């Protein structure tokens, strides 16, 4: 292990030197050869990241282009550090595996704030440097030791105006009432959002959700199980609605506008009682680009123009209060933090989820299968 | 002349040493393969008894948790049904191919092999478009007035079975085809000549003679089915949770690696156990295309 | 099953056996069997003899019901069975390569025709025991076919085909896979079994010795047609055509002014010219020169050249035929009138 670590550092130094023009290409390759099989797991990307480059680990799709424009461009302009992407999706298990294996290839993960709680406790993350990152540029309670929320997304639902046009549903209670609103429902398969929606439908106040009463939530979920199908990805949620498989579908709020457009307005988004989720930037421990650079990157993501551009590009809602008032008028109905929505949405508790994900998810899977 | 006996002696020595030399030649590869294969496997076994704490707690959970039992039962049920349907359909297809003209058989074989190239995701979404709530079939049936409510083909266990069987049928056909090709047509003629009806000939001669192919097809389909992830996840509408998806969730989302490793070991043990039981009843070499006993 | 009164009324024999009327099989433009008329008597051992491609196997398969019939009719005991499927004809058959069921024991193989007919268990056991004894395989009843020798397999196939007492047993080159010594042994066994069971045997072979040694009657086939039909003696002594004469045994052919004659090599007398010097020349007496001598153990076979250049085969009993004549020796040949058989022209 020690030897391998030494070779790795030598290589990273070499990569930096090569990049800075202090080392011949041939020498660098010879160094790579010397490192041999043991260092083969060190991908070029790791060396590149070490050579003053920030790797953002996100979920692919449009987000590469959007993050590149909104955050990458101004960040590179200000620091000279380029932004690169790993679009394989930073699930908790993958971050843990990456850090445990000692082969960290990403600098910052586009994760959830509850990931910051869970992985922060187990020592898999770098602490956020609040001398560089601004606690005030996010919602209160969403600036944590090991992660800070830079955007918000949410669990809302869409309904079929053709089925319920005269008396449209407006709450999770309506969503779970299949007698009054007959038809199929779709819910998120991995529990979060779905549990909160069930509790609100069952009469729990939106600011008294946590700690979640799991048995009560699961009972409510089971009550409409025969009419429910469950999705595991945003595109699946989207297609379930657009293909008319469901009359009401839980979706990620940022997809709401697309769904309304794709169905020519047949399906309509309901933001009342939507659950706001703090999307967070978290840093795997031992990130190749170093702590200093990555904190600058996170700070850049907090800026008002970056946040507004992300909203425009991905529909992710700004978490920086300064940006709330500057949301474009036509986007406000779809934004969690717009004036019309900010007080009628519920807010996710990253601490509860950071400590209870396993029980919640497994309990949920058991309930629906 | 005195040297003559030395030649066979040398030859004998060569025969004695050649196998050892042969093993030496493949040894580096063997070590590499075993290392790359057994290393991670051992790691998984170790995790299953050490995470989150040392002991057999993960295995004990099998008997304590209804949820785990439910998942294993679902997996077993879906896999057994998939195997039964795929092998039955595969048998019919292989039989039709054997009795088709050579040119038609080549066409059928090409079509069968082409289906191997279609990704599981594409197949899955194609089934949704075909048999979904607003799919071609349901819309068509509604349009001609045969049904008023869409038939629930998809987003349930039926959907999972349809998707999995579709994927698995070619895997069932190939071993069956190979086994049917070895049957001497005269044996079937003899059965007819001796007074057996076509049904008797099938049950008493044809089916027993294709048994090695049947067993191979069933084993192949069953073992592959155990690892199915995408098809049940999507076509099951989230309600048909099979062990492969559950393992993935335990690794990626809930971080219960011990549970995941335990289930993986269980699956591996189950498959090895199955092969062992089969080997008690018949020579596996005949199943996997070895020489006849 | 048979209707003796009706048949007697029609003036036929008490039982008819198998009658083929104008039986024809075409594969596209190729005619494999061409209008065969044949009456196979009940209980006889009839051999279909011919080279490969002569239509003998196709004819057998038509009788068995495995081959559709393009034209014509097959009747058993006066009843047409042309449309009866193979499994309902109740004809036993011994296949080329035996076609035993490899997954069944010898006993189960032999019991198969009875068990598919759902006969009582006790009857099956008794009958199979009887058949095992008939083919002398009682000790092998639990073996699988793969554990038997070729000759034993052949006997299992025979027992299986005879087990349900079929009125007709069809044998498709059943000895083809055996070596020569075993073949002669099995020929005798087959003949003995035929005599014991009394079933009609229809036997297909391309081996003339088999045909001669076992058959009551032989059908020589050529190009899908019957070339000649008769007892082995009739066919050998009085071949009808050049093909029949050459296919069954060896023959010399003599072109005379009134046609073609067949002359079997063993019917020619041969002696050194010196011994007959001065004797008057008979009608067939001729001189010749020995071209070559081949020794076959029991016979010596000479090739001799006549003065006009034609060559003849002459076979002599090696033991009684006197001293061997050398190559180049002057000889005198002679044969009785009845030794040469006038042939009809071959069918095209």
């Amino acid at each position: 292990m020690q030897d391998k670590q030494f070779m790795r550092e030598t290589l990273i130094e070499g990569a930096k030197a090569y990049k800075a023009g202090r080392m011949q290409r041939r020498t660098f390759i010879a160094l790579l050869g010397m490192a041999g099989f043991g260092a083969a797991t060190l991908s070029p990307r790791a060396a590149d990241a070490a050579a003053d480059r920030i790797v953002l680990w996100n979920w692919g799709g449009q987000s590469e282009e959007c993050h590149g424009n909104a955050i990458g461009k101004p960040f590179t302009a200000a620091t000279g550090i380029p932004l690169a992407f790993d679009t394989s999706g930073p699930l908790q298990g993958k971050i843990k595996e990456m850090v445990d294996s000692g082969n960290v290839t990403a600098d910052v993960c586009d994760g959830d704030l509850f990931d910051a709680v869970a992985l922060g406790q187990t020592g898999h993350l770098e602490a956020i440097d609040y001398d560089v990152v601004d606690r005030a540029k996010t919602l209160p309670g969403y600036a944590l030791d090991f992660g800070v929320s830079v955007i918000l997304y949410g669990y809302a639902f869409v309904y079929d105006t053709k089925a319920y046009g005269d008396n449209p549903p407006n709450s999770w209670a309506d969503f779970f009432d299949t007698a009054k609103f007959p038809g199929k429902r779709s819910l998120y398969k991995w529990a979060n959002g779905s549990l909160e929606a069930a509790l609100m439908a069952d009469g729990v106040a939106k600011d008294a959700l946590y700690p979640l009463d799991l048995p009560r939530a699961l009972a409510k979920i089971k009550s409409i199980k025969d009419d429910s199908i469950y999705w595991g990805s945003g595109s699946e949620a989207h297609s379930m609605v657009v293909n008319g498989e469901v009359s009401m579908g839980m979706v990620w709020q940022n997809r709401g506008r697309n769904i309304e457009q794709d169905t020519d307005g047949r399906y309509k988004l309901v933001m009342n009682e939507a659950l706001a989720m703090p999307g967070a930037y978290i840093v795997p421990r031992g990130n190749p680009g170093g702590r200093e650079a990555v904190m600058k990157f996170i700070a850049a993501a907090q800026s008002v123009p970056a946040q507004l551009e992300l909203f425009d590009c991905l529909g992710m809602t700004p978490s920086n209060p300064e940006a709330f008032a500057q949301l474009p008028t036509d986007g406000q109905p779809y934004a969690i933090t717009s004036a019309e929505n900010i007080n009628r949405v519920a807010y996710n508790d990253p601490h509860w989820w950071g400590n209870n994900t396993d029980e919640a998810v497994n309990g949920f899977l058991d309930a629906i299968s | 002349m005195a040297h003559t006996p030395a030649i066979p002696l040398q030859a004998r020595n060569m025969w004695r040493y050649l196998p050892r030399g042969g093993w030496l030649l493949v040894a580096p590869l063997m070590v590499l393969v075993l290392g790359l294969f057994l290393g991670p496997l051992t790691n998984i076994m170790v995790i299953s008894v050490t995470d989150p704490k040392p002991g057999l707690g993960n295995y004990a959970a099998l008997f304590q948790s209804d949820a785990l039992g439910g998942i294993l039962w679902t997996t077993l049920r879906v896999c057994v049904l998939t195997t039964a349907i795929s092998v039955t359909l595969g048998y019919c297809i292989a039989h039709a191919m054997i009795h088709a003209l050579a040119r038609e058989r080549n066409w059928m074989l090409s079509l069968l092999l082409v289906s191997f190239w279609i990704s599981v995701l594409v197949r899955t979404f194609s089934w949704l478009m075909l048999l979904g709530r607003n799919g071609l079939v349901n819309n068509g049936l509604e349009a001609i007035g045969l049904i008023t409510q869409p038939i629930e083909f998809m987003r349930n266990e039926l959907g999972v079975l349809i998707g999995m069987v579709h994927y698995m049928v070619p895997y069932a056909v190939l071993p069956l085809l190979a086994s049917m090709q070895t049957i001497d047509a005269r044996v079937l003629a003899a059965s007819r000549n001796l007074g057996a009806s076509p049904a008797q000939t099938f049950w008493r001669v044809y089916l027993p003679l294709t048994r090695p192919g049947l067993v191979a097809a069933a084993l192949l389909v069953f073992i592959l089915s155990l690892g199915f992830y995408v098809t049940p996840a999507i076509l099951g509408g989230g309600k048909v949770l099979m062990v492969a998806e559950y393992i993935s969730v335990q690794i990626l989302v809930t971080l219960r690696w011990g549970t995941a490793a335990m289930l993986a070991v269980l699956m591996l043990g189950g498959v090895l156990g199955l092969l062992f039981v089969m080997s008690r009843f018949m020579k596996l070499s005949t199943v996997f295309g070895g020489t006849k006993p | 099953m048979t209707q003796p009164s009706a048949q007697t009324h029609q003036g036929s024999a008490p039982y008819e056996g198998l009658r083929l009327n104008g039986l024809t099989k075409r594969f596209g433009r190729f005619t494999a069997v061409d209008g065969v008329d044949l009456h196979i008597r009940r209980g006889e051992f009839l051999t279909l003899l011919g080279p490969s491609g002569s239509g003998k196997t196709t004819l057998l398969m038509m009788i068995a019901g495995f081959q559709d019939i393009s034209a014509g009719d097959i009747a058993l005991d006066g009843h047409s069975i042309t449309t009866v499927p193979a499994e309902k004809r109740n004809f036993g058959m011994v296949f080329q390569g035996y076609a035993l069921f490899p997954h069944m024991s010898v006993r189960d193989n032999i019991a198969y025709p009875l068990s598919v007919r759902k006969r009582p268990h006790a009857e099956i056991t008794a009958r199979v025991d009887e058949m095992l004894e008939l083919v002398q395989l009682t000790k092998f009843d639990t073996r699988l076919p793969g554990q038997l020798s070729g000759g034993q397999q052949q006997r299992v196939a025979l027992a299986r085909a005879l087990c349900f007492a079929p009125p007709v047993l069809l044998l498709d080159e059943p000895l083809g896979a055996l070596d020569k010594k075993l073949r002669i042994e099995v020929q005798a066994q087959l003949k003995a079994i035929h005599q014991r069971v009394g079933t009609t045997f229809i036997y297909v072979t391309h081996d003339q010795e088999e045909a001669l040694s076992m058959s009551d009657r032989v059908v020589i086939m050529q190009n899908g047609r019957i070339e000649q039909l008769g007892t082995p003696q009739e066919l050998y002594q009085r071949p009808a055509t050049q093909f029949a004469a050459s296919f069954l045994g060896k023959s010399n052919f003599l072109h005379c002014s009134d046609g073609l004659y067949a002359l079997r090599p063993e019917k020619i007398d041969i002696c050194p010219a010196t011994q007959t010097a001065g004797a008057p020349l008979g009608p067939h007496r001729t001189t010749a020169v020995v071209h070559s001598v081949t020794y076959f153990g029991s016979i010596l076979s000479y090739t001799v050249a006549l003065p006009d250049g034609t060559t003849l085969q002459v076979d002599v009993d090696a033991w009684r035929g006197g001293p061997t004549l050398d190559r180049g020796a002057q000889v005198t040949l002679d044969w009785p009138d009845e030794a040469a058989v006038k042939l009809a022209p071959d069918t095209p």
Side-chain angles (χ1 to χ4, degrees):
Chain A
M1 271 316 278
Q2 286 296 324
D3 289 354
K4 201 172 153 189
Q5 186 64 25
F6 166 73
M7 285 315 293
R8 220 176 69 81
E9 280 162 10
T10 311
L11 267 186
I12 291 165
E13 286 309 310
K16 279 182 175 167
Y18 169 57
K19 190 108 187 163
R22 285 187 276 113
M23 193 187 274
Q24 294 291 315
R25 181 180 154 81
R26 199 180 296 163
T27 322
F28 179 53
I29 289 171
L31 200 61
L32 275 173
M34 255 169 55
F37 194 74
T41 47
L42 184 76
S43 67
R45 181 181 289 165
D48 283 353
D52 294 349
R53 163 166 166 163
I54 291 294
V55 175
L56 173 59
W57 191 3
N58 67 359
W59 303 87
Q62 282 172 289
S63 61
E64 198 166 344
E65 182 194 331
C66 295
H67 286 106
N69 285 331
I71 315 170
K73 275 187 184 166
F75 170 68
T76 307
T79 60
I81 304 171
L83 178 65
F85 293 92
D86 175 347
T87 57
S88 61
L91 284 164
Q92 260 186 44
K94 291 191 195 171
I95 301 172
K96 178 172 144 83
E97 194 276 334
M98 181 183 275
V99 175
D100 284 350
S101 72
N103 179 29
V104 180
T105 57
D107 291 293
V108 57
C109 310
D110 185 8
D112 275 295
L113 201 53
F114 62 77
D115 295 332
V117 174
L119 293 174
Q121 284 169 0
T122 53
H124 289 87
L125 300 179
E126 297 281 352
I128 301 296
D129 181 358
Y130 283 108
D131 292 337
V132 183
V133 178
D134 191 345
R135 282 180 193 278
K137 288 184 176 172
T138 189
L139 290 179
Y142 283 174
L144 305 183
D145 290 352
F146 292 97
V148 58
S149 172
V150 288
I151 53 99
L152 297 167
Y153 67 100
Y155 292 95
F157 72 91
V158 293
Y159 68 92
D160 184 358
T161 55
K162 211 165 161 185
Y164 314 122
D166 301 334
N167 179 23
N170 193 39
S171 66
W172 290 115
D174 294 343
F175 186 95
F176 278 79
D177 189 345
T178 50
K180 194 172 159 195
F181 298 95
K184 291 269 173 195
R185 307 287 194 267
S186 59
L187 287 156
Y188 185 45
K189 187 154 78 175
W190 292 355
N192 64 62
S194 295
L195 292 174
E196 284 90 342
L199 288 172
M200 284 186 261
D202 210 33
V204 179
K206 69 181 174 69
D207 44 11
L209 290 169
Y210 300 95
L212 296 183
D213 182 346
L214 258 184
R216 184 174 173 184
L218 295 177
K220 191 72 180 171
I221 294 286
K222 279 185 186 171
S223 72
I224 60 162
K225 181 176 158 184
D226 289 345
D227 288 311
S228 304
I229 55 178
Y230 305 90
W231 49 268
S233 71
S235 60
E236 210 186 340
H238 188 106
S239 72
M240 281 178 177
V241 172
V242 171
N243 293 337
E245 288 188 71
V246 293
S247 313
M248 276 193 235
M250 172 183 273
V251 294
W252 279 324
Q253 140 280 333
N254 57 309
R255 284 190 179 257
R257 201 200 291 211
N258 282 347
I259 289 173
E260 287 184 2
Q261 284 165 356
D262 286 357
T263 60
D264 294 325
R266 176 164 168 176
Y267 283 82
K268 199 170 173 349
L269 182 71
V270 174
M271 282 297 289
N272 186 38
E273 295 185 340
L275 179 73
M277 295 292 297
Y281 278 172
I282 58 182
V283 179
R285 184 159 200 165
N287 69 301
R291 189 156 173 254
E292 194 186 323
V294 78
M295 290 305 152
K296 282 185 197 158
F297 174 81
I298 296 174
Q302 290 187 305
S303 82
V304 173
Q307 300 234 318
L308 288 174
E309 187 158 351
L310 276 182
F311 178 68
D312 183 52
C313 193
L314 288 172
M316 302 288 193
T317 305
S319 62
N320 182 351
E322 284 176 52
F324 295 174
Q326 297 179 46
L327 286 165
T329 320
D330 63 332
Q332 287 190 11
Y334 306 97
I336 288 163
T337 50
S338 64
E340 60 182 287
N341 289 335
I342 193 163
N343 289 320
R344 56 176 188 158
V345 299
Y347 291 89
N348 172 276
D349 178 3
H351 296 285
W352 190 87
W353 277 97
N355 291 307
N356 297 288
T357 291
D358 52 352
E359 255 174 71
V361 171
N362 285 343
F364 191 80
L365 289 177
D366 184 37
I368 66 171
S369 61
Chain B
M1 279 306 280
H3 291 287
T4 318
I7 293 163
L9 196 68
Q10 270 173 5
R12 211 159 55 228
N13 284 345
M14 268 185 66
W15 278 113
R16 196 188 298 158
Y17 289 117
L18 198 65
R20 201 183 295 173
W23 277 110
L24 275 177
L25 285 176
V26 295
L29 192 68
M30 293 283 292
V31 168
L32 191 70
V33 168
L34 284 180
L36 291 179
F37 187 69
L38 289 181
L41 210 59
T42 314
N43 192 22
I44 286 173
M45 289 183 192
V46 169
I47 289 176
S48 78
V49 290
T50 55
D51 182 297
K53 52 180 184 284
L56 293 173
N58 289 320
Y59 292 89
L62 265 183
F63 304 99
Q64 291 151 4
S65 155
D66 290 344
L68 283 176
I71 289 155
L72 291 174
W73 170 235
T74 303
T75 308
L76 198 66
R77 187 179 63 236
V78 170
C79 290
V80 166
L81 282 172
T82 301
T83 306
I85 301 169
S86 305
V87 171
T88 309
L89 287 177
Y91 203 94
C92 299
I93 294 171
H95 192 267
M97 287 174 75
I98 287 286
H99 293 90
L101 298 170
R103 208 165 60 97
E104 288 166 8
R105 179 161 58 233
N106 285 341
W107 268 107
M108 291 161 93
L109 197 63
S110 312
L111 286 176
L112 198 74
L113 294 179
V114 161
S115 76
F116 278 115
W117 302 338
I118 304 173
S119 95
V120 68
L121 260 178
V122 170
R123 293 160 186 258
T124 303
F125 283 107
S126 304
W127 278 119
L128 282 177
M129 293 174 73
L130 202 62
L131 293 180
R133 235 180 127 74
N134 282 323
L136 268 176
V137 170
N138 269 324
N139 282 352
L141 290 177
E142 271 177 89
I144 58 174
L146 274 179
I147 53 169
T148 50
Q149 284 293 311
I151 302 170
E152 307 273 345
F153 292 112
M154 291 286 128
R155 307 291 191 190
N156 52 29
E157 197 163 308
L158 176 64
V160 175
L161 284 176
I162 291 173
M164 285 178 66
V165 165
H166 178 234
Y167 193 88
M168 284 302 172
V169 161
Y171 287 95
V173 169
L174 294 181
L176 285 168
L177 204 56
S179 133
M180 287 177 188
Q181 268 163 345
T182 63
I183 294 181
D184 183 352
R186 284 176 301 192
V187 170
L188 305 176
S191 171
R192 277 185 70 193
N193 170 262
L194 294 167
S197 67
Q200 282 173 322
T201 300
F202 177 78
W203 290 108
R204 301 184 57 163
V205 179
Y206 200 80
L207 194 66
L209 289 180
T210 51
R211 203 177 68 149
L214 270 174
V215 174
L219 276 178
L220 187 67
V221 170
F222 184 79
I223 292 170
L224 286 175
S225 298
L226 283 177
F228 257 58
Y229 176 178
V230 175
T231 307
I234 294 176
L235 297 185
K239 293 177 181 180
V240 185
L241 185 60
M242 288 189 30
V243 78
E245 188 184 8
Y246 192 76
I247 288 175
S248 147
V249 171
Q250 301 313 310
I251 290 172
L252 296 173
V253 180
T254 64
L255 303 192
R256 287 193 179 175
W257 288 11
T259 306
M262 178 274 289
L263 287 171
V265 171
L266 198 72
M267 286 294 107
L268 183 68
V271 168
L272 291 178
L274 191 68
L275 289 176
F276 177 74
V277 170
M278 296 310 304
S279 73
R280 300 302 293 265
F281 289 105
M282 61 193 308
K283 282 198 171 167
L284 283 180
S285 60
T286 65
V287 170
F288 295 116
T291 48
K292 291 194 168 183
Chain C
M1 210 165 83
T2 52
Q3 294 170 299
S5 58
Q7 285 177 353
T8 317
H9 189 68
Q10 287 167 358
S12 321
Y15 44 73
E16 274 226 349
L18 200 64
R19 202 177 272 283
L20 315 181
N21 297 315
L23 213 53
T24 300
K25 177 65 194 177
R26 293 183 206 97
F27 296 103
R29 275 158 49 196
F30 171 68
T31 304
V33 174
D34 192 0
V36 166
D37 293 306
L38 182 63
H39 177 207
I40 301 152
R41 297 172 199 139
R42 174 168 284 198
E44 80 169 321
F45 194 131
L46 180 112
T47 297
L48 303 175
L49 175 68
S52 61
S54 61
K56 60 188 189 304
T57 299
T58 308
L59 185 60
L60 191 78
M61 291 300 167
M62 287 160 90
I63 297 172
F66 293 125
Q67 196 68 261
D68 294 336
I69 289 170
S70 305
D73 184 58
I74 306 174
L76 179 69
D77 299 333
H79 301 277
S80 171
I81 56 163
T82 308
T83 55
V84 176
E87 62 269 24
K88 300 237 168 81
R89 288 193 185 183
N90 285 322
F91 289 178
M93 181 150 179
V94 177
F95 288 78
Q96 215 170 350
Y98 320 130
L100 297 177
F101 305 126
H103 59 297
M104 292 184 201
S105 68
V106 167
R107 174 171 288 279
D108 290 345
N109 263 284
I110 298 173
Y112 188 81
L114 299 180
S115 77
V116 296
R117 287 172 174 78
K118 304 203 165 61
R119 299 296 250 290
H121 192 262
E123 182 197 325
I124 294 179
T125 311
R127 178 68 179 162
V128 172
D129 285 342
E130 196 182 317
M131 297 316 296
L132 282 167
E133 203 174 320
L134 179 73
V135 297
Q136 297 160 23
L137 285 172
T138 307
K139 280 188 292 183
F140 298 90
D141 67 333
T142 56
R143 298 263 185 101
L144 289 173
Q147 299 165 318
L148 299 178
S149 72
Q152 289 166 334
Q153 289 186 24
Q154 197 273 336
R155 274 140 63 195
V156 176
L158 187 67
R160 184 179 69 174
L162 287 171
C163 185
F164 59 109
V168 175
L169 180 69
L170 311 171
L171 301 103
D172 184 11
E173 310 231 4
L175 310 184
L178 305 181
D179 60 55
K180 187 166 175 142
K181 190 160 177 254
L182 192 57
R183 209 185 294 182
I184 290 164
E185 214 177 291
V186 179
Q187 279 172 25
Q189 288 170 354
L190 257 182
K191 185 77 190 159
I193 287 170
H194 172 248
Q195 276 159 4
R196 263 181 76 179
V197 298
T199 300
T200 311
F201 276 33
I202 304 177
Y203 190 100
V204 161
T205 185
H206 62 265
D207 185 317
Q208 40 141 333
E209 279 179 34
E210 265 175 44
L212 290 178
S213 66
M214 291 192 289
S215 318
D216 294 328
R217 289 195 299 161
V218 176
V219 174
I220 298 178
M221 290 194 69
Q222 156 84 322
N223 297 329
R225 294 190 197 149
I226 294 178
E227 190 83 11
Q228 192 176 1
L229 166 65
T231 64
Q233 288 89 345
E234 283 167 0
L235 292 183
Y236 189 81
Q237 302 302 344
R238 307 218 59 82
T241 64
Q242 185 174 7
F243 177 79
S246 63
F247 195 72
L248 205 68
K250 290 189 291 184
S251 190
N252 295 300
F253 295 103
L254 302 175
H255 294 273
C256 300
S257 53
D258 60 337
L260 188 67
Y261 284 81
L263 179 59
R264 297 291 184 189
E266 72 275 13
K267 294 182 181 173
I268 301 173
D269 293 322
I270 185 170
C271 57
T274 49
Q275 285 182 19
T276 53
L281 289 173
H284 301 300
R285 191 163 197 159
T286 178
T287 55
V289 178
V290 173
H291 241 211
S292 67
V293 189
T294 314
Y295 180 61
F296 286 108
S298 60
I299 59 163
L300 276 168
S301 183
Y302 295 104
T303 306
V304 298
L306 302 182
D308 66 355
T310 44
T311 58
L312 290 179
Q313 293 277 331
V314 181
D315 286 355
V316 175
D317 188 318
W319 177 242
R320 292 181 224 284
T324 304
L325 299 162
D326 292 326
R327 192 162 172 264
Q330 293 286 328
V331 293
T332 308
L333 307 178
D334 198 2
W335 59 87
D337 272 343
E338 63 273 22
V341 179
K342 186 157 190 287
L343 301 174
D346 272 348
T347 47

